[in-house]
């Protein structure tokens, strides 16, 4: 299965060969794991990579339900879906983004940003719809108090645990920096937001704050989808700026709702819980120090994002005003000069010509 058109062949195990064929190599590893399901001797090991682990069956009024908790075996599952994400990344790039790029004829820098926004827009769209479906089916939207009640939320339903295993996407973004040949000046910026996503998702998953984390991820993914969608529209039509204005309002509202929800759930909801003792076996981390650490992590991140946003808007406004001032100054210097035209005709080679092109004759005065 080939994902890219081969215009040139490279030596085996060379850097260019690995970059050009990385999706095919990863696809072979996935097939190797799937083949392991066919044999009894390797089926148990193969299922470790494919299916979420640590399931516990419990009896409920609706019947027997399988719930999941986390453990070290989740690393194998994340690794497998990291391979799946690399394959999907190559499919989206080859069959969607590359075809659009050929029609737009963008520059190299804009092409890189277009590919980045295209990949992230697809991921944010799928993740926001998926998270909203989980919030609706689990009843977190109609009952907000369930976000902190009955903590710790150490046992998760299948769809919730599988959603958190999508942090494989952010792990896959690290090798993609190498595969996509990202420029050196762009690497620190991308590493910055990748590390922020990984740290926040892992903190919510390991501290059993999965319900609050699910709502925050939905808000964040929805806001970021608006930004990258606006940037895609801008690359297609550079005169279109209204989407950025709408995203700016949504960005600030998302930050405010995130801070409000964190203080409500962690600062007040968990603080009123009766069980506030550290218990590693039960997964209870509801202590004052942990709550303060979580609030500090989220509030500092949201404040930093707002600071960057307002600084960018102020710089953009200042640059716009300077550009308008230059245009007004240039317009004043280029005042068009009015042409003086004779009422009878016009001058040509120093001779006065009439409107029909003939020289006007002077009228002779009669003598008295």
């Amino acid at each position: 299965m080939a994902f890219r058109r081969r215009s040139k062949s490279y030596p085996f195990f060379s850097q260019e060969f690995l970059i050009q064929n990385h999706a095919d190599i990863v696809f072979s590893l996935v097939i190797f794991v799937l083949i392991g399901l066919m044999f009894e001797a390797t089926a148990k090991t193969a299922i470790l990579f494919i299916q979420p682990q640590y399931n516990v069956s419990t009896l409920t009024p609706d019947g027997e339900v399988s719930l999941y908790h986390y453990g070290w075996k989740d690393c194998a599952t994340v690794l497998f879906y990291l391979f799946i994400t690399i394959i999907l990344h190559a499919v989206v790039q080859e069959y969607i983004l590359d075809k659009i790029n050929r029609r737009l004829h963008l520059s190299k820098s804009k092409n890189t940003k277009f590919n980045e926004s295209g990949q992230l827009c697809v991921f944010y769209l799928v993740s926001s719809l998926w998270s909203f479906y989980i919030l609706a089916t689990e009843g977190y939207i109609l009952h907000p108090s369930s976000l902190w009640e009955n903590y710790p939320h150490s046992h998760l339903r299948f769809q919730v645990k599988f959603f958190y295993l999508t942090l494989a996407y952010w792990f896959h973004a690290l090798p993609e920096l190498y595969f996509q040949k990202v420029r050196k000046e762009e690497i620190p910026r991308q590493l910055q937001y990748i590390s922020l996503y990984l740290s926040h998702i892992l903190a919510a998953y390991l501290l059993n704050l999965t319900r609050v984390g699910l709502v925050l991820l939905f808000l964040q993914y929805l806001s970021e989808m608006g930004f990258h969608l606006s940037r895609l529209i801008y690359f297609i039509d550079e005169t279109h700026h209204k989407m950025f204005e709408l995203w700016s309002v949504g960005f600030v509202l998302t930050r405010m709702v995130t801070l409000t929800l964190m203080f409500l759930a962690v600062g007040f909801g968990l603080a009123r819980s009766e069980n506030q003792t550290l218990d590693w076996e039960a997964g209870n981390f509801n202590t004052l120090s942990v709550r303060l650490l979580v609030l500090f992590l989220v509030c500092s991140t949201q404040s930093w994002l707002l600071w960057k946003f307002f600084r960018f808007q102020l710089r953009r406004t200042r640059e716009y005003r300077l550009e308008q001032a230059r245009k007004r100054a240039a317009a004043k210097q280029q005042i068009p000069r009015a042409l003086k035209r004779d009422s009878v005709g016009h001058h040509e080679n120093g001779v006065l010509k009439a409107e029909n092109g003939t020289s006007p004759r002077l009228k002779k005065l009669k003598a008295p």
Side-chain angles (χ1 to χ4, degrees):
M1 182 176 181
F3 290 99
R4 295 183 180 275
R5 297 178 178 89
R6 270 64 171 167
S7 58
K8 184 179 179 181
S9 59
Y10 296 96
F12 285 100
F13 305 112
S14 64
Q15 181 179 358
E16 293 296 332
F17 177 83
L18 180 62
I19 293 174
Q20 189 182 54
N21 301 277
H22 73 276
D24 295 329
I25 296 172
V26 170
F27 183 76
S28 302
L29 294 175
V30 171
I31 294 298
F32 180 76
V33 174
L34 294 177
I35 291 175
L37 294 173
M38 302 171 61
F39 304 97
E40 186 178 357
T42 58
K44 292 183 179 180
T45 305
I47 204 69
L48 183 68
F49 291 90
I50 300 172
Q51 183 180 350
Q53 303 299 308
Y54 303 105
N55 59 320
V56 178
S57 298
T58 58
L59 293 176
T60 62
D62 298 332
E64 188 175 358
V65 178
S66 294
L67 300 177
Y68 297 82
H69 59 92
Y70 64 80
W72 66 269
K73 293 181 181 179
D74 291 338
C75 296
T77 311
V78 170
L79 179 63
F80 178 78
Y81 287 101
L82 185 149
F83 293 157
I84 297 294
T85 309
I86 291 177
I87 297 172
L88 295 177
H89 185 111
V91 170
V92 172
Q93 184 67 41
E94 175 68 20
Y95 294 102
I96 299 177
L97 298 179
D98 286 349
K99 291 184 178 180
I100 299 175
N101 283 330
R102 295 190 193 100
R103 296 183 178 181
L104 295 179
H105 303 288
L106 299 174
S107 62
K108 188 174 181 180
S109 59
K110 288 184 178 181
N111 189 16
T112 303
K113 293 180 180 180
F114 183 87
N115 291 334
E116 178 189 3
S117 293
Q119 294 285 348
L120 289 173
C121 193
V122 172
F123 171 74
Y124 288 140
L125 176 61
V126 175
S127 298
S128 58
L129 292 176
W130 188 6
S131 58
F132 180 77
Y133 173 79
I134 296 174
L135 291 174
T137 55
E138 295 292 331
Y140 301 153
I141 297 178
L142 299 178
H143 303 88
S145 59
S146 62
L147 297 178
W148 59 83
E149 290 179 349
N150 301 322
Y151 180 85
H153 310 136
S154 55
H155 291 86
L156 311 174
R157 292 182 180 272
F158 174 81
Q159 59 181 0
V160 178
K161 168 141 187 174
F162 198 74
F163 178 82
Y164 272 93
L165 293 179
T166 56
L167 59 85
Y169 180 88
W170 298 111
F171 279 116
H172 116 279
L174 297 174
E176 284 293 341
L177 297 176
Y178 172 73
F179 295 144
Q180 298 298 324
K181 296 182 179 180
V182 177
R183 294 183 301 174
K184 291 183 178 180
E185 55 269 20
E186 288 289 328
I187 291 178
R189 179 185 65 84
Q190 296 195 25
L191 284 177
Q192 196 174 67
Y193 71 76
I194 291 171
S195 59
L196 283 175
Y197 273 111
L198 287 175
S199 60
H200 284 72
I201 295 174
L202 284 173
Y205 187 60
L206 297 177
L207 296 178
N208 292 318
L209 296 171
T210 51
R211 297 182 182 181
V212 180
L214 192 63
V215 179
L216 297 184
L217 283 175
F218 167 71
L219 296 173
Q220 177 65 21
Y221 287 163
L222 195 63
S223 174
E224 289 299 302
M225 184 186 68
F227 169 73
H228 289 285
L229 184 62
S230 303
R231 194 156 75 161
L232 289 176
I233 295 175
Y234 172 76
F235 286 138
I236 296 174
D237 183 9
E238 294 187 356
T239 61
H240 193 86
H241 299 276
K242 293 183 179 179
M243 286 293 294
F244 282 111
E245 297 174 0
L246 294 175
W247 167 78
S248 300
V249 177
F251 179 86
V252 177
L253 289 177
T254 301
R255 306 283 80 79
M256 296 297 103
V257 173
T258 299
L259 291 173
T260 304
L261 183 62
M262 282 303 299
F263 278 104
L264 180 64
V266 179
F268 294 97
L270 293 180
R272 295 180 179 181
S273 177
E274 297 180 357
N275 188 7
Q276 297 191 19
T277 57
L278 183 63
D279 189 351
W280 292 88
E281 295 183 358
N284 185 12
F285 301 96
N286 186 16
T287 61
L288 178 61
S289 58
V290 174
R291 291 199 304 269
L292 290 176
L293 180 62
V294 171
L295 286 174
F296 175 77
L297 175 65
V298 176
C299 293
S300 59
T301 302
Q302 301 303 314
S303 302
W304 176 72
L305 290 174
L306 281 172
W307 176 71
K308 283 188 62 179
F309 173 77
F310 286 123
R311 190 180 66 170
F312 171 77
Q313 294 296 333
L314 291 174
R315 186 176 70 248
R316 184 182 176 185
T317 304
R318 192 182 304 114
E319 292 175 354
Y320 177 76
R321 290 179 178 177
L322 291 174
E323 184 180 356
Q324 293 298 318
R326 291 195 206 98
K327 288 182 178 180
R328 287 194 296 267
K332 290 180 180 179
Q333 294 178 357
Q334 297 178 355
I335 300 176
R337 297 181 179 179
L339 296 175
K340 294 181 179 181
R341 302 180 67 88
D342 195 276
S343 59
V344 179
H346 64 278
H347 288 83
E348 184 177 335
N349 296 328
V351 180
L352 182 64
K353 297 288 185 179
E355 292 299 331
N356 57 2
T358 60
S359 299
R361 296 182 180 179
L362 295 177
K363 190 175 182 181
K364 292 183 180 180
L365 297 175
K366 293 182 179 180

